Structure formats: C-alpha cells, structure tokens
C-alpha cells in the first residue's frame, strides 16, 4: 500500500501516464485487498458452524445409548446446519451481486407486490413474537429492475426489523415519492443501533453486537446484500436510528415513468 502511495506522489511530479499507471495499480491492489479480506472473513465464518457440526457428530457418537442426549445433539446439529445453509446462500448471493454494477434481467416491477411478498415471507417469524405490520401510504408505483432481487432486499430489511425488535411491537412500511424518486421506509420499534455502529452495519459480516446477533441467527451479510441490490437499481439505502427507540431503513429508488403497466425501456437501467 505504502509503495503505491509513493508512486502516485512521484507521478504527480512526473508525467501523466505514470500517474494513470499508478492509479490503475492502486485500484487493482484495493480490489485484491477487498477480495482477500472477503475470503478471509468467509473462511472464518464458515469454520464456526462446520466446527460445531463436527463436534456435535462426535458427541452423538459418544452418547448413542442416551436417547435424550441424542435428541438434543441432533437438534443442535440441525440448527448449525441451517446456519451453514443460510451463510452459504448469502455468500453466493453477495458474490453474484459484487460481480455486476447493474440489473441483469430488468422489467417493470410493481413495488406494492414486492413489499407484499416480502412482508408475507416474514409473517410467520413476526407472528411468533406478536409483531404486527402497518403497511401504508402508497399508490401504484413501479421501478425498473429485478423483482426477485428487490424482494430479497426488502425481505432482509423486514427480517432484521423482526429479529431486532421485542415482542408486541409494530413494524411500519411506508412509501412516498418525490422528484422521480420513490422512498420506502421500514421502521421498527426495536433495540436501535448506536451512532458508531450505524456507519458500519452495511459492511460484510459486521454485527453491532456480535454475540447477540449470532444468537439471533443472522449471517451478518443481510445489509451488505441490501446495499448492493439497491445500488444495482440506481438507488441508495440510508439509516436513521436511536438506541432504545428503533430504526428506520429508507430505500430510495428511481421511479419508472408510467407506473406498473408501462413498457420496459429499451435503454439500460435509468
Ligand atoms: P445480521 O445477519 O447479523 O442481521 P445484517 O447485515 O443484516 O446482519 O445486519 C448487521 C447488523 O446490524 C446486525 O447484526 C445488527 O446488529 C444490526 N441491525 C440490522 N438491522 C437492525 C435493526 N432493524 N435494528 C437493530 N439492529 C439492526
């Protein structure tokens, strides 16, 4: 890293092409560093459930005579296997998203349908905590994009809202539009996120409270996936939160003219 910076400095005094070369190398070095970092994180994260499954298999073998213990270890094996499966799925999703800047299979997408589907999929988990949804404030609105990816993005936000909220609370999902942009806000009455963590929660594998978050079953990749999907749709996601009061994640996407029934434009993503 130090060498590269030095090269850029030298180049600033020298000829322009050296500067370009140095710039390129800096970019490549950064990409490589990010990739290496990702691989290191992935290996570390995968080792935890794999190690647990291996230990549980040993425990199962050793306690074959004890029916209760077998049941208990089998159940824990199942939990760890499910965590591993979720992790692998998120890693694959994220690496696919990182490989591209724009939506590959775009079409006119009705946001109401996307939100309804994302809410539907989170309903079971919400009901188990007696959390209710308040969806409102939106008319027919369409964006150009990939419906599956958009459902994944909102599903992650809604799943988090459920995961980090106590029982008997509400989750609001409101939509409005202005200046050709649609804002979709997902608000919870949960534990909230401290100011210093707010900048970091979109990073891969970052958890505001590592021990507790692991216990709640997340992979640490959810918000990173959301950020990529929204960026690929030409939008951005922002966060407002106050510890103890709750959080609001707002997704801002460019509106597609003409509403859900409109023709898909020939051009690239707007
Ligand atoms: P995870 O799988 O751990 O939920 P995410 O990338 O989805 O990973 O979120 C990163 C971290 O941000 C979480 O571990 C949690 O600490 C925090 N977080 C995300 N959403 C919320 C929320 N709605 N309320 C409080 N904390 C949240």
């Amino acid at each position: 890293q130090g060498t590269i910076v030095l090269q850029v400095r030298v180049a600033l005094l020298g000829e322009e092409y050296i500067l370009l070369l140095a710039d390129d190398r800096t970019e490549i070095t950064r990409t490589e560093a990010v990739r290496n970092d990702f691989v290191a994180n992935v290996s570390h994260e995968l080792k935890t459930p794999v190690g647990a499954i291996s230990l549980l298999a040993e425990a199962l073998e050793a306690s074959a005579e004890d029916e209760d213990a077998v049941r208990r270890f089998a159940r824990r094996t199942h939990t760890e296997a499910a965590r591993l499966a979720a992790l692998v799925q998120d890693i694959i999703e994220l690496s696919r998203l990182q490989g591209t800047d724009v939506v590959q299979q775009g079409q006119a997408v009705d946001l109401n349908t996307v939100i309804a589907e994302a809410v539907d999929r989170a309903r079971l988990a919400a009901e188990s905590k007696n959390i209710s949804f308040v969806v409102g404030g939106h008319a027919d609105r369409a964006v150009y994009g990939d419906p599956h990816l958009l459902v994944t993005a909102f599903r992650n936000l809604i799943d988090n809202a459920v995961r980090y909220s106590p029982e008997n609370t509400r989750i609001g999902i409101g939509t409005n539009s202005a200046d050709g942009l649609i804002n979709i806000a997902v608000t919870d009455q949960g534990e909230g996120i401290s100011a210093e963590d707010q900048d970091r929660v979109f990073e891969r594998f970052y958890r505001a409270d590592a021990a507790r978050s692991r216990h709640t079953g997340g992979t640490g990749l959810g918000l990173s996936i959301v950020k990529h999907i929204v960026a690929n749709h030409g939008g951005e996601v922002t966060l407002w939160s106050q510890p103890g009061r709750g959080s609001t994640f707002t997704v801002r996407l460019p509106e597609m003219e003409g509403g859900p029934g409109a023709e898909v434009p020939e051009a690239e993503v707007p």
Side-chain angles (χ1 to χ4, degrees), residues 154-200:
F154 287 104
R155 167 110 204 255
N156 277 323
L157 291 180
I158 295 167
D159 279 352
N160 277 349
V162 173
R163 187 177 292 147
Y164 301 108
S165 290
E167 293 186 351
N168 307 314
T169 52
R170 290 193 295 181
I171 293 169
I173 301 161
T175 313
N176 65 46
S177 75
D179 304 327
L181 294 170
I182 308 178
N183 300 302
I184 309 102
V186 179
T187 301
D188 64 53
Q189 302 173 309
E191 63 198 51
I193 302 169
S194 72
E196 72 253 36
D197 284 329
Q198 286 177 27
D199 290 336
R200 304 205 56 194

Side-chain angles (χ1 to χ4, degrees), residues 247-264:
S247 312
T248 297
F249 286 86
T250 304
V251 172
R252 184 162 301 142
L253 293 167
E255 183 164 14
M256 197 175 143
E257 278 175 31
E263 293 250 319
V264 177

Side-chain angles (χ1 to χ4, degrees), residues 84-101:
L84 188 58
L87 200 53
V88 168
Q89 195 184 337
D90 276 1
I91 289 166
I92 290 171
E93 183 83 62
L94 194 58
S95 11
R96 256 192 324 141
L97 286 166
Q98 284 177 164
T100 165
D101 289 338

Side-chain angles (χ1 to χ4, degrees), residues 197-258:
D197 284 329
Q198 286 177 27
D199 290 336
R200 304 205 56 194
V201 288
F202 292 97
E203 290 172 19
R204 291 174 310 216
F205 296 117
Y206 187 83
R207 295 176 175 111
D209 180 335
R212 191 184 47 207
S213 299
R214 205 180 288 278
H215 179 69
T216 56
T219 63
L221 291 175
L223 288 179
S224 196
I225 289 174
V226 172
K227 192 176 164 185
H228 272 91
I229 292 176
V230 174
N232 287 6
H233 283 77
E236 60 170 5
V237 53
T238 52
L239 162 62
W240 176 93
S241 183
Q242 231 172 45
R245 284 192 56 191
S247 312
T248 297
F249 286 86
T250 304
V251 172
R252 184 162 301 142
L253 293 167
E255 183 164 14
M256 197 175 143
E257 278 175 31

